[in-house]
DNA sequence: AAATTCTATTTGTACTACAAATATGACAAA
DNA sequence: TTTGTCATATTTGTAGTACAAATAGAATTT
């Protein structure tokens, strides 16, 4: 079962075995697990190794431990560990481009849910955001200003996972805009089908008109800089 | 710096500190890190604690360690830990619904990249897949058969991250189809705008006609069971 | 100079010891 | 009998020692 001569460490193997243990025993959140001593006997390793494996599962949120109570299975927050690796310093250009692609895909696909769920109150909020941005001047928007509108769009669509995902990717967008800003000069590239620039005000107008197709195309134009970056950089 | 009286464990704190260390020193893949002994001195904890923290970062793929060489920063595989938590046993219905939503959003948004990248060879492959499925009978398709067509679509779109993401979510789809199969009776619900059923053959026909809008709407119809599940279940 | 061996360093694993928290049962009070 | 308090035992969290295994770099030999 546990192979001490493998290239992988014992902690790696024990981690896999414990995950397997949870699956094969169809344990669900709330169910108990063996304690450290019992795992030691099950896998014939030192407590150190068991603790390293459990430490990882604790970080993932798959298990929790409390003194005397032992370990219990928990529902993991899906994206907490994803957040930890989403660091532009650590990622290759290929991966960063894939994140840009993810952004485009999510925001286009989200239109379906956006138009299903949008309320009058949502539109009022969007109007406020847009009018503040008009006051600042659409060319002077910081990435945070820019983000404000889109975050609200995600929120309206009503899928917490996707909202969170977008929030986690945000540092990547900031990084790219700072380091490759040629692609993100507003007036030059956010063009729609007819070569007209697409700003938040116009996106909002399609929402108000309940024009999903128009919104989709406008969003596609609004995100054109990302597209350019994916296909033209380097 | 390290607080021994906190409710979080020392390993939790050291983990955060080491991640912070990598960020503030702008370390990139290939760069070295202090060894375990040095971290012990830096944070004033036992080697055990340091090793638990490093073990977690190793699992995330942020660092690698080799004897004598010490630790080096590495580019993490973004989704390896995501895969570990993507277990239908562990997830709530809310989260599972959000995954269904993710499926719809990804596949709709992906259309943009699909039509940009699709080649004649791709279309031939899709034709083969579809004809095999016609032979089996569209109502007899297993989830794996069903997946074959869509996986190819993802592959054509050319974003490895999204392909991998979809593959990781697959067990969730299988789980839902098995447990809530009322929503997934093919002939009754995969309807398009006009109330006609949408199968892979028809999706392919839109690709061949280079009709992106048609494909989008057809895909929306094809995924209608997911939509129904999200909004109607429970 | 090249190949080999040796040595020192670093990670991986095992084991012991104790602190801290707390579930459980024993016991006392009403 | 029920309730509240306390003691005990169990389990996780942390520290420390010891040694095995791997290997980078130095020393040695050819």
């Amino acid at each position: 079962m546990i192979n001490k001569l493998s290239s992988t460490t014992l902690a790696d193997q024990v981690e896999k075995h414990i995950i397997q243990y949870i699956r094969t025993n169809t344990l669900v959140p709330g169910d108990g697990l063996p304690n450290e001593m019992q795992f030691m006997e099950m896998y014939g390793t030192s407590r150190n190794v068991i603790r390293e494996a459990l430490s990882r599962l604790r970080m993932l949120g798959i298990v929790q431990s409390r003194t005397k109570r032992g370990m219990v299975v928990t529902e993991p927050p899906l994206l907490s560990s994803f957040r930890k690796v989403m660091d532009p310093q650590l990622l290759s250009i290929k991966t960063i481009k894939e994140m840009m692609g993810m952004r485009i895909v999510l925001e286009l696909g989200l239109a379906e849910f956006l138009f299903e769920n949008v309320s009058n109150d949502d539109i009022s909020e969007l109007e406020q955001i847009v009018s503040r941005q008009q006051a600042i001047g659409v060319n002077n928007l910081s990435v945070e200003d820019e983000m404000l509108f889109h975050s609200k769009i995600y929120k309206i669509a009503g899928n917490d996972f996707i909202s969170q995902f977008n929030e986690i990717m945000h540092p990547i967008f900031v990084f790219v805009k700072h380091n490759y800003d040629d692609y993100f000069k507003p007036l030059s590239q956010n063009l729609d089908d007819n070569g007209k620039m697409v700003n938040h005000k116009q996106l909002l107008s399609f929402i108000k008109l309940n024009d999903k197709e128009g919104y989709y195309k406008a969003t596609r134009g609004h995100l054109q800089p990302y597209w350019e970056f994916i296909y033209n950089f380097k």
Side-chain angles (χ1 to χ4, degrees), chain A residues 171-185:
Chain A
I172 308 291
F173 307 146
V174 173
F175 174 84
V176 170
K177 286 190 183 181
H178 272 73
N179 289 274
Y180 313 104
D181 56 349
D182 284 353
Y183 291 90
F184 297 91
K185 298 192 174 133

Side-chain angles (χ1 to χ4, degrees), chain A residues 23-210:
Chain A
R23 300 225 166 120
T24 57
N25 293 74
T26 57
L27 300 185
V28 298
D31 289 349
L33 281 172
N35 62 35
E36 296 177 354
M37 212 61 82
Q38 292 168 313
F39 274 130
M40 282 172 67
E41 287 160 13
M42 285 170 63
Y43 301 130
T45 64
S46 74
R47 190 163 162 233
N48 247 334
V49 168
I50 301 293
R51 279 190 62 79
E52 275 196 29
L54 288 175
S55 179
R56 296 175 179 186
L57 301 189
R58 263 195 298 277
M59 183 196 60
L60 293 178
I62 293 177
V63 306
Q64 278 183 359
S65 55
R66 297 236 303 270
T67 48
K68 178 81 180 178
R69 264 200 178 177
M71 319 282 309
V72 292
V73 177
T74 54
E75 179 180 2
L78 289 187
L79 291 173
S80 69
S81 53
F82 187 66
R83 173 175 272 117
K84 289 175 184 162
V85 296
M86 190 54 70
D87 179 346
Q89 282 176 31
L90 302 180
L91 304 183
S92 67
I93 270 292
K94 171 173 186 290
T95 303
I96 288 177
K97 283 184 174 183
E98 289 177 351
M99 291 302 108
M100 300 286 118
M102 192 73 179
R103 165 78 190 270
I104 294 175
V105 166
L106 287 184
E107 199 133 343
L108 289 178
L110 213 59
E112 208 65 32
F113 289 92
L114 170 64
F115 280 79
E116 176 76 12
N117 294 333
V118 67
S119 71
N120 288 331
D121 285 352
D122 293 327
I123 289 179
S124 306
E125 271 194 62
L126 286 172
E127 276 175 336
Q128 282 178 18
I129 291 172
V130 166
S131 66
R132 274 201 300 275
Q133 295 183 345
Q134 295 286 113
I136 297 171
V138 287
N139 299 338
N140 301 327
L141 292 186
S142 67
V143 270
E144 284 71 25
D145 292 327
E146 172 75 21
M147 189 67 178
L148 221 58
F149 181 84
H150 294 280
S151 290
K152 178 62 184 169
I153 295 286
Y154 279 82
K155 200 173 170 192
I156 296 170
N159 186 312
D160 290 344
F161 178 85
I162 296 179
S163 291
Q164 221 186 317
F165 201 97
N166 182 54
E167 183 240 307
I168 291 172
M169 286 192 298
H170 189 228
I172 308 291
F173 307 146
V174 173
F175 174 84
V176 170
K177 286 190 183 181
H178 272 73
N179 289 274
Y180 313 104
D181 56 349
D182 284 353
Y183 291 90
F184 297 91
K185 298 192 174 133
L187 281 166
S188 62
Q189 301 223 35
N190 297 21
L191 311 176
D192 69 4
D193 276 355
N194 308 316
K196 289 193 302 180
M197 187 195 121
V198 181
N199 59 32
H200 294 163
K201 187 178 179 186
Q202 288 160 300
L203 292 178
L204 177 53
S205 72
F206 288 111
I207 296 174
K208 288 201 268 191
L209 293 169
N210 199 35

